[in-house]
Amino acid sequence: MSPRDAQLYWASARMPNDQYLLYAFEDLGASWTSVRDFVAGRTWSIPDLRVRVEDVPAHLDYPYWVTREFGDDQLVEHPLEDPTWQRCLDDVARRLGDGVDARVSPWRLHLYRAVRGVPGCADAPAVVAVLQLSHALADGRRAAAIARALFGPEPADQPPPEHLAVPTTPTTLTRAVLRLPGQGAGLVVRGVEAFRAHRDECALVERGELPAPLASRPPTALNSPPGPRHDLRVVVRPLSALRAEGVTVTVAALTAISLALPRYLAEHGSPHVPRLGAEVTVADSVAQSSPVLSRNNFRNISVDLFPDEPDLEVRAGQIATVLAGRRVRSAHELVRRQERTLDVLPAALLHAGIAGQAVDRAPEAVSGHTVLTSVDRGAADLSLLGGRVLLTAGFPALSSAMALTHGVYGIGDTVTVSAHSGRAVLPDPDRYAAILGESIDAVGRVLRR
């Protein structure tokens, strides 16, 4: 396992960070046995769904991926007394803190059948499938590819994966000991490189050749522990509602959030936030070509939302400009060079650092007041035993510093904007969902003019 993946794996023991990929399909009444056989058959040719984690004693080295076969523990049906769309989301919300044990299985598929009121399904019933993945297994793009292999029109055209045997304890400990001298030397080299890179980066910033790092922001009520009760709300729109010439879906969604958040906070007595900002998860193409291969290739960048700009078209342009600048900065070689010590960090040191982190305190400063993750999950050609896909959604995890996150997920010509919140901080999720929907529509009207 790469250090980046291990970081997410070990962090999940302190605070749940699993991914939940929701897909809604037409319910054609397939039997449970048929569903079970379908899932079992598809996993046979999906390498990512045929592994589990094997720890190294005392965390002296990074964990290993080893083979496991499909089992009934990986497929769970949740009958609902009143199977409506919102009751289904409420049940998913109650399970968000129940992370998978990747040592047993890094994934689990939750099924809700005969769900009524799913957008795009009129009065017909739907099947809601929620693919829960350990974040160590996949980032957003890889997770979408796994789901596409599972629900795609045809099984993956590849041979079964190579068997990954469980390494013996003497083998893992010997490998760990042999790596230590190289890791120690690497830390010294990478530390010197990071110092020089920081010096050169500051010079580029002073000359205006590289965007400066954004200053931290004062927290709002949203940057508080979310509490035990979580809420999920999903706003479903045609893709055309968030797409306009020269404006990406991500920028349109950020503009809508910049409109919705101040309005909701004002209605609930919070002061005006002039430096409102968001952390945006973006794909990391540079990491994908790194010699240290990782299943997680993403970065979080901080973006201003310009709530005081009254013209929404101008505001969208400002957000797009800042987002582009943040991408340029995050991909710059000098910035990347300062982060490469992680690649040579001994596993025991990384594990100790994660175990010692405080995860239950609100921060004194933040890089964003909410989070946005945006993933295009491809064509609407997925199905479950003949039932066509209707929509897809996701719910970025909360933390002690983030009680509201957003997800934007597209499939075919449908896009969903989800809000995942903690009831202790966001007491009226229905009101926020209504404001968010109105904001999306308002931004769409302006951008399509």
Side-chain angles (χ1 to χ4, degrees):
M1 187 181 290
S2 74
R4 172 61 167 156
D5 298 337
Q7 187 177 38
L8 290 164
Y9 167 57
W10 286 328
S12 67
R14 307 293 311 282
M15 183 165 292
N17 61 10
D18 287 0
Q19 296 191 76
Y20 292 79
L21 290 77
L22 182 150
Y23 292 84
F25 302 91
E26 294 174 319
D27 190 345
L28 302 185
S31 68
W32 177 251
T33 300
S34 298
V35 174
R36 191 262 180 208
D37 291 345
F38 170 81
V39 174
R42 284 297 176 93
T43 60
W44 181 83
S45 59
I46 304 174
D48 286 339
L49 299 186
R50 294 187 62 189
V51 295
R52 65 174 183 84
V53 171
E54 183 74 15
D55 283 329
V56 173
H59 308 294
L60 293 178
D61 202 356
Y62 290 101
Y64 287 79
W65 293 106
V66 299
T67 299
R68 73 150 281 174
E69 300 304 325
F70 174 79
D72 289 341
D73 60 307
Q74 295 171 309
L75 182 62
V76 186
E77 182 177 14
H78 302 291
L80 300 175
E81 290 186 8
D82 183 17
T84 64
W85 171 232
Q86 187 55 54
R87 292 290 177 87
C88 175
L89 293 177
D90 292 343
D91 194 77
V92 174
R94 285 193 291 270
R95 303 179 188 281
L96 293 181
D98 183 19
V100 294
D101 183 349
R103 296 168 299 181
V104 178
S105 171
W107 67 277
R108 184 184 299 135
L109 183 63
H110 306 267
L111 287 180
Y112 300 84
R113 297 199 285 174
V115 179
R116 305 186 309 274
V118 174
C121 207
D123 296 327
V127 176
V128 176
V130 182
L131 180 60
Q132 179 182 359
L133 298 173
S134 165
H135 218 315
L137 184 68
D139 59 14
R141 287 192 173 187
R142 186 167 185 144
I146 292 172
R148 178 157 290 277
L150 183 62
F151 299 120
E154 298 293 338
D157 185 16
Q158 56 183 319
E162 179 184 356
H163 183 77
L164 304 174
V166 179
T168 64
T169 297
T171 299
T172 59
L173 294 182
T174 300
R175 289 174 181 171
V177 170
L178 292 176
R179 286 192 185 121
L180 281 175
Q183 290 173 325
L187 280 175
V188 174
V189 172
R190 295 291 174 87
V192 173
E193 289 179 348
F195 171 78
R196 292 173 176 170
H198 177 68
R199 178 193 60 198
D200 295 343
E201 176 222 327
C202 291
L204 288 183
V205 170
E206 288 181 3
R207 296 198 299 267
E209 299 175 17
L210 183 68
L214 287 180
S216 58
R217 313 168 197 273
T220 68
L222 298 175
N223 303 112
S224 305
R229 181 174 177 180
H230 291 198
D231 294 294
L232 302 178
R233 297 295 184 269
V234 175
V235 178
V236 183
R237 292 291 186 271
L239 182 59
S240 58
L242 279 168
R243 175 178 286 174
E245 185 176 355
V247 180
T248 66
V249 170
T250 300
V251 168
L254 285 169
T255 307
I257 292 168
S258 77
L259 200 60
L261 269 185
R263 181 177 167 190
Y264 178 87
L265 292 172
E267 288 185 5
H268 288 76
S270 294
H272 175 64
V273 185
R275 290 198 58 227
L276 189 70
E279 290 183 18
V280 182
T281 304
V282 297
D284 190 346
S285 57
V286 177
Q288 293 171 3
S289 60
S290 169
V292 181
L293 298 179
S294 174
R295 293 169 172 270
N296 283 273
N297 299 296
F298 69 92
R299 300 175 69 83
N300 290 326
I301 57 179
S302 179
V303 177
D304 289 311
L305 295 182
F306 304 101
D308 291 332
E309 170 53 58
D311 188 318
L312 291 181
E313 189 172 5
V314 173
R315 189 188 303 187
Q318 291 174 326
I319 292 173
T321 299
V322 172
L323 181 60
R326 295 297 97 196
R327 287 179 183 271
V328 169
R329 176 180 170 79
S330 69
H332 197 279
E333 172 63 20
L334 293 177
V335 175
R336 309 306 292 261
R337 205 176 295 168
Q338 298 173 55
E339 303 168 348
R340 289 177 182 161
T341 54
L342 178 64
D343 295 342
V344 295
L345 193 65
L349 288 180
L350 179 58
H351 182 269
I354 293 172
Q357 288 178 344
V359 297
D360 55 355
R361 294 200 306 265
E364 296 180 359
V366 296
S367 56
H369 300 111
T370 186
V371 165
L372 176 75
T373 296
S374 179
V375 180
D376 180 2
R377 291 181 176 162
D381 57 354
L382 308 184
S383 64
L384 179 59
L385 294 172
R388 65 182 179 90
V389 69
L390 304 168
L391 59 86
T392 185
F395 315 102
L398 304 183
S399 70
S400 60
M402 196 69 68
L404 173 64
T405 63
H406 298 82
V408 181
Y409 302 93
I411 191 160
D413 294 328
T414 299
V415 64
T416 64
V417 182
S418 64
H420 176 194
S421 60
R423 182 65 66 91
V425 177
L426 203 84
D428 192 350
D430 288 326
R431 178 57 182 156
Y432 181 70
I435 293 175
L436 182 60
E438 293 169 5
S439 300
I440 291 170
D441 296 338
V443 168
R445 286 192 297 270
V446 170
L447 296 182
R448 290 193 305 271
R449 286 188 307 201

